[in-house]
């Protein structure tokens, strides 16, 4: 929803202290993806993807509309079933691992 995408932008742009501290360690191999699930209010994929795209300068470089990006990311995230493995948290973990590798 529009409210979800606005929340993703707000949280990624001005993260609460716990999320900010966690995102500072996003480049490290030792990263607790389950903590991200908690501090992002069960939005680990959209918050992480948005934060990484902004942090790497890709949003600015390509002139991506932040509201559309956040809406797109939340729609993708909402498509993940609520199960213990192939979930939004697993997708966020794969995204973060690829970020570290690349």
């Amino acid at each position: 929803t529009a409210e979800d995408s606005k929340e993703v932008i707000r949280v990624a742009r001005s993260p609460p202290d716990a999320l900010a501290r966690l995102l500072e360690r996003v480049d490290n191999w030792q990263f607790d993806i389950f903590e991200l699930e908690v501090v992002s209010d069960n939005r680990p994929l959209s918050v992480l993807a948005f934060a990484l795209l902004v942090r790497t300068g890709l949003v600015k470089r390509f002139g991506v509309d932040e509201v559309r990006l956040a809406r797109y990311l939340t729609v993708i995230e909402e498509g993940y079933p609520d199960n213990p493995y192939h979930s939004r948290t697993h997708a966020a973990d794969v995204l973060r691992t690829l970020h570290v590798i690349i």
Side-chain angles (χ1 to χ4, degrees), residues 63-92:
V64 176
D65 180 281
E66 290 186 354
V67 173
R68 284 184 172 182
L69 173 61
R71 191 176 307 134
Y72 177 73
L73 294 170
T74 56
V75 167
I76 290 172
E77 186 168 55
E78 288 167 0
Y80 279 90
D82 188 22
N83 65 46
Y85 187 68
H86 286 112
S87 63
R88 58 183 60 187
T89 303
H90 177 248

Side-chain angles (χ1 to χ4, degrees), residues 7 10-12 14-23 25 31-44 47:
E7 182 66 10
R10 186 191 67 73
V11 168
S14 300
D17 291 343
L19 179 58
R21 283 191 303 274
L22 188 61
L23 289 175
R25 300 188 312 264
F31 185 85
D32 187 350
I33 199 69
F34 298 106
E35 183 180 352
L36 178 62
E37 179 181 30
V38 171
V39 299
S40 69
D41 197 26
N42 198 32
R43 289 255 174 232
V47 168

